[in-house]
Amino acid sequence: MGITATIMNTVTGRPIQKMTFGRMPKPWASFNLESGELVTAERIDIGKPAPGKVVTPVDVWVTVKPKE
């Protein structure tokens, strides 16, 4: 069972996409977004599951290069 994480933009604070990892990503892990852009994880936040739920929310914060 993989880890489903929300990829968050550090500049805007908004979610970019959902992504599934085989295991918990490290803060220095690099991966490609759906747009094909290579990003590096800067921070990983692990939240508390909602009452009665088993799924723990995971946020991976990345900096996306601005489009020119």
Side-chain angles (χ1 to χ4, degrees), residues 5-61:
T6 303
I7 310 300
M8 303 289 288
N9 188 336
T10 57
V11 176
T12 63
R14 295 182 180 258
I16 299 172
Q17 70 181 48
K18 293 266 189 192
M19 188 172 223
T20 302
F21 295 92
R23 59 183 186 162
M24 185 62 76
K26 302 290 183 189
W28 55 85
S30 295
F31 51 90
N32 289 319
L33 297 176
E34 289 175 347
S35 63
E37 182 176 357
L38 179 67
V39 293
T40 302
E42 294 180 14
R43 185 175 89 209
I44 312 250
D45 291 338
I46 302 169
K48 293 180 97 176
K53 301 288 182 179
V54 188
V55 178
T56 302
V58 177
D59 295 333
V60 179
W61 292 82

